[in-house]
């Protein structure tokens, strides 16, 4: 576009106007895309979602200028959400339903199916689709999708970036995610630099922060200010956690300001999302990592932020684990101050952004999500069920093998062989839990006993979905050992693939 205008300035004024308009009309409508993914940031951490402990003016501004989703869903942990985001596929289909690297519970009552431990290079990712559509693509920050050959928890290697559709994936300072502001400032600088270096090409920036994941970090002066205001040094709503939220908000402010300074506001789509719910409670890990793996009750070892009115937090099948903040600004397409209550799923973002960019997945690439473009433009989506496949144990979050179905206001959680109650008690046996999210957002009243037929029918549909993928439905573990029933290990056993 810039080159075209340089040539046209040599023409007569009357001809210039006509030729320039023709040139603009021929340009494809490909907005820049800034996708900001934060780590472990819960639904109620922003002012626009009710947080009164930390001012988040820039994120609140983003919400005011676009769409704020009230029912935006991801998976309850980071690797699965990132895989679903980049593939447009449920974890049941892409196989990445477990955090990598490997750990498991080989002797538990329910068998854990094998999971994919590294995203294959052949995967048709969101970035590949956008790259094929002419975008310059950048992966900045946390990766956590492959073996160390291509990247690790901290980042995607530049030498391997092209395998996943990215042009640019810079090497961060050593240990940057374990010191200072946890890399927020450096990542923001990288994103701004990438915008500035591609004035004549649409760009896609996948900005994947490490904040607010443990260890929670923030600039000392910001932490000190919250301490002075009365926030505790540790525990629930501690000063460092509150400071980290503010630091993220300031990063978003810098990004939005620079987009405006570059005159890119009207040509840039901005998405803000978290990879899973916030950390409310972390159970004491000693009984299942250092003990025998046999216990009757888990106790809380650490608390960070109250996810109320949602139940529980990261790692959980409850709303606090899977419902997250989601904001979208797309000038000229989204109506300001829109509050959207339609349930949406992380698998929807790949088809959405491909449609925005005029891209398409290959015919043989199965997509589980749907494009949200109509919804962003004020139209409606057809009613549809939402699914989660969680066939694993991770007792630090109180998770046992489960699957979830949301249909309308009803949400079914099926625990396949055991569960952990709200007070930490370990409960053997299959369990169905049914909640009406419209009247019971906090999932306090299990309706399954009173609505047994409805729960059973939803369970049948949930099983039918798993069979349609197809994927294993968790069942009794032939290697169950009551003497070390819930012992977590990083050592694969002979029967583990």
């Amino acid at each position: 576009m810039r080159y075209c205008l340089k040539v046209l300035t040599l023409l007569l004024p009357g001809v210039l106007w006509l030729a320039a308009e023709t040139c603009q009309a021929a340009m494809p409508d490909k907005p820049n895309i800034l996708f900001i993914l934060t780590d472990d940031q819960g639904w109620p951490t922003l002012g626009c979602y009710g947080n009164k402990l930390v001012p988040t003016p820039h994120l609140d501004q983003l919400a005011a200028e676009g769409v704020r989703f009230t029912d935006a869903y991801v998976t309850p942990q980071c690797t699965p959400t990132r895989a679903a985001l980049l593939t447009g596929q449920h974890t049941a289909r892409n196989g990445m339903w477990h955090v990598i690297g490997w750990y498991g519970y080989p002797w538990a009552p329910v068998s854990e199916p094998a999971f994919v431990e590294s995203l294959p290079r052949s995967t048709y990712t969101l970035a590949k689709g956008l790259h094929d559509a002419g975008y310059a693509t950048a992966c900045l920050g946390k990766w956590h999708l492959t073996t160390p050959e291509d990247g690790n928890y901290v980042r995607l290697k530049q030498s391997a970036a092209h395998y996943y559709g990215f042009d640019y994936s810079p090497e961060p300072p050593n240990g940057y995610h374990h010191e200072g502001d946890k890399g927020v400032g450096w990542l923001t600088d990288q994103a701004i630099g990438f915008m500035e270096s591609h004035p004549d090409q649409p760009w896609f920036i996948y900005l994947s922060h490490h904040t607010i994941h443990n260890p929670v970090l923030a600039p000392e002066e910001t932490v000190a200010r919250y301490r002075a205001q009365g926030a505790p040094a540790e525990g629930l709503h501690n000063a460092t956690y509150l400071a980290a939220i503010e630091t993220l908000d300031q990063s978003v402010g810098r990004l939005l300001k620079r987009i405006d300074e570059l005159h890119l506001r009207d040509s840039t789509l901005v998405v803000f999302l978290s990879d899973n719910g916030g950390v409310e409670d972390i159970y004491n890990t000693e009984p299942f990592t250092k003990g025998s793996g046999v216990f009757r009750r888990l106790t809380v070892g650490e608390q960070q932020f109250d996810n109320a009115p949602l139940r529980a937090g990261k790692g959980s099948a409850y709303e606090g684990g899977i419902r997250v903040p989601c904001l979208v600004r797309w000038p000229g397409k989204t109506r300001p101050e829109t509050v959207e209550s339609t349930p949406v799923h992380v698998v929807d973002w790949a088809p959405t952004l491909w449609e925005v960019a005029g891209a398409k997945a290959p015919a043989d690439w199965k997509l589980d999500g749907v494009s949200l473009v109509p919804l962003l433009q004020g139209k409606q989506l057809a009613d549809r069920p939402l699914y989660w496949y969680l066939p694993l144990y991770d007792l630090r979050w109180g998770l046992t093998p489960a699957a979830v179905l949301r249909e309308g206001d009803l949400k079914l959680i099926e625990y396949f062989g055991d569960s952990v109650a709200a007070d930490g008690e370990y409960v053997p046996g299959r369990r169905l839990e049914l909640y009406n999210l419209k009247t019971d957002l906090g999932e306090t009243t299990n309706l399954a006993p009173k609505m047994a037929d409805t729960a059973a029918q939803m369970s049948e549909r949930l099983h039918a979905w798993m069979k349609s993928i197809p994927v294993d439905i968790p069942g009794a573990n032939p290697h169950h050992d009551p003497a070390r029933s819930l012992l977590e290990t990083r050592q694969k056993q002979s029967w583990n693939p």
Side-chain angles (χ1 to χ4, degrees):
M1 183 66 175
R2 178 175 293 179
Y3 174 78
C4 182
L5 289 177
K6 276 186 177 180
V7 174
L8 290 175
T9 54
L10 300 177
L11 303 179
L12 295 174
V15 180
L16 168 62
W17 178 86
L18 178 61
E21 288 297 312
T22 302
C23 181
Q24 273 192 316
M27 289 292 289
D29 184 17
K30 295 182 184 293
N32 304 307
I33 299 170
L34 172 61
F35 199 107
I36 305 168
L37 185 69
T38 60
D39 201 334
D40 293 1
Q41 184 162 12
W43 191 73
T45 56
L46 308 185
C48 55
Y49 286 89
N51 179 18
K52 299 184 184 304
L53 298 173
V54 183
T56 54
H58 303 295
L59 286 161
D60 296 346
Q61 173 194 344
L62 188 63
E65 294 173 346
V67 180
R68 177 173 69 86
F69 285 90
T70 63
D71 294 48
Y73 288 103
V74 292
T75 79
Q77 289 182 282
C78 51
T79 295
T81 286
R82 292 158 201 277
L85 170 66
L86 292 182
T87 64
Q89 296 178 336
H90 283 298
T91 58
R93 192 177 305 281
N94 63 43
M96 299 195 77
W97 56 74
H98 198 291
V99 170
I100 57 173
W102 193 92
Y103 61 93
Y105 296 72
W107 305 283
V110 179
S111 60
E112 298 177 295
F115 59 91
V116 175
E117 297 180 55
S118 188
L119 188 69
R121 290 178 174 180
S122 59
T123 302
Y124 196 79
T125 65
L126 167 59
K128 282 183 180 177
L130 295 176
H131 190 273
D132 290 348
Y135 278 69
T137 55
C139 178
L140 309 176
K142 183 172 177 178
W143 179 237
H144 206 185
L145 283 171
T146 58
T147 59
E149 180 183 0
D150 285 353
N152 52 24
Y153 176 92
V154 178
R155 57 117 179 181
L156 170 65
K157 290 183 179 179
Q158 177 63 55
S159 59
H162 65 284
Y163 294 121
Y164 305 96
F166 292 103
D167 297 310
Y168 182 62
S169 184
E171 181 175 358
N174 188 41
Y176 80 129
H177 64 303
H178 279 165
E179 59 189 26
D181 65 355
K182 209 169 175 70
V184 172
W186 185 83
L187 290 169
T188 304
D189 290 342
Q190 289 293 314
I192 290 173
F194 195 78
M195 296 176 194
E196 295 172 341
S197 62
H198 293 84
D200 300 314
Q201 184 181 11
W203 44 257
F204 166 57
I205 297 173
Y206 173 47
L207 174 54
S208 178
H209 283 292
H210 293 278
T211 291
I212 308 172
H213 194 285
N214 267 351
V216 179
L217 299 171
E220 287 297 328
E221 61 271 20
T222 312
V223 176
R225 178 157 40 83
Y226 280 100
R227 286 291 306 278
Q229 294 172 7
E234 297 179 351
L236 206 62
H237 304 150
N238 65 77
T240 304
Y241 196 97
L242 301 183
I245 295 175
E246 180 178 317
T247 302
L248 276 175
D249 183 75
Q250 291 172 344
S251 165
V252 172
R254 285 184 57 204
L255 292 164
L256 298 181
K257 180 181 178 182
R258 192 58 184 144
I259 286 172
D260 284 350
E261 291 171 345
L262 295 171
H263 305 290
L264 296 176
R265 173 189 282 254
D266 292 340
S267 59
T268 301
L269 167 64
V270 180
V271 182
F272 178 89
L273 187 72
S274 175
D275 68 345
N276 47 250
V279 174
E280 182 168 330
D281 298 331
I282 305 176
Y283 285 114
N284 177 15
T285 62
E286 188 167 337
F288 55 89
T289 58
K290 298 179 182 178
S292 65
V294 179
F295 55 86
R296 297 187 62 180
R297 189 181 301 274
L298 293 168
T299 59
V300 174
E302 181 182 350
Q303 292 183 306
Q304 292 184 356
F305 197 92
D306 187 356
N307 282 317
L310 307 184
R311 177 174 173 177
K314 176 180 178 176
S316 167
Y318 298 107
E319 292 294 285
I322 60 177
R323 187 187 293 220
V324 295
C326 179
L327 310 173
V328 181
R329 187 182 77 179
W330 189 11
K333 303 291 185 179
T334 55
R335 181 175 296 176
E337 298 185 343
T338 297
V339 179
E340 180 55 66
S341 61
T342 301
V344 300
H345 198 286
V346 65
V347 296
D348 297 329
W349 287 109
T352 298
L353 298 181
W354 284 335
E355 180 174 345
V356 165
K360 288 185 178 181
D364 61 351
W365 187 254
K366 176 64 177 177
L367 282 171
D368 292 310
V370 301
S371 173
L372 303 179
V373 167
L375 200 61
L376 295 174
Q377 296 178 336
K379 302 173 185 176
Q380 292 185 333
L381 290 182
D383 292 339
R384 58 181 175 141
L386 299 184
Y387 300 99
W388 288 262
Y389 182 64
L390 311 169
L392 66 143
Y393 288 90
D394 201 330
L395 294 176
R396 56 188 44 77
W397 315 116
L399 180 64
T400 59
V404 179
L405 167 62
R406 176 171 175 175
E407 293 180 329
D409 294 325
L410 293 180
K411 174 184 173 184
L412 179 82
I413 305 175
E414 178 169 351
Y415 292 103
F416 293 104
D418 49 9
S419 58
V420 176
D423 63 357
E425 180 185 3
Y426 175 71
V427 183
R430 176 178 178 264
R431 178 177 173 84
L432 294 180
E433 296 185 6
L434 180 66
Y435 300 100
N436 186 323
L437 297 178
K438 184 175 182 179
T439 59
D440 183 22
L441 182 59
E443 297 169 292
T444 61
T445 304
N446 179 14
L447 301 174
K450 292 184 178 180
M451 301 174 61
D453 289 345
T454 298
Q457 291 164 8
M458 290 182 69
S459 173
E460 289 178 4
R461 291 192 289 275
L462 184 56
H463 282 237
W465 169 73
M466 288 185 281
K467 291 176 182 176
S468 73
I469 297 292
V471 72
D472 291 341
I473 299 175
N477 183 5
H479 305 284
H480 175 48
D481 181 356
R484 45 183 175 173
S485 184
L486 295 173
L487 184 63
E488 179 184 294
T489 178
R490 293 188 177 274
Q491 299 296 318
K492 286 187 178 181
Q493 305 305 301
S494 59
W495 57 87
N496 294 133

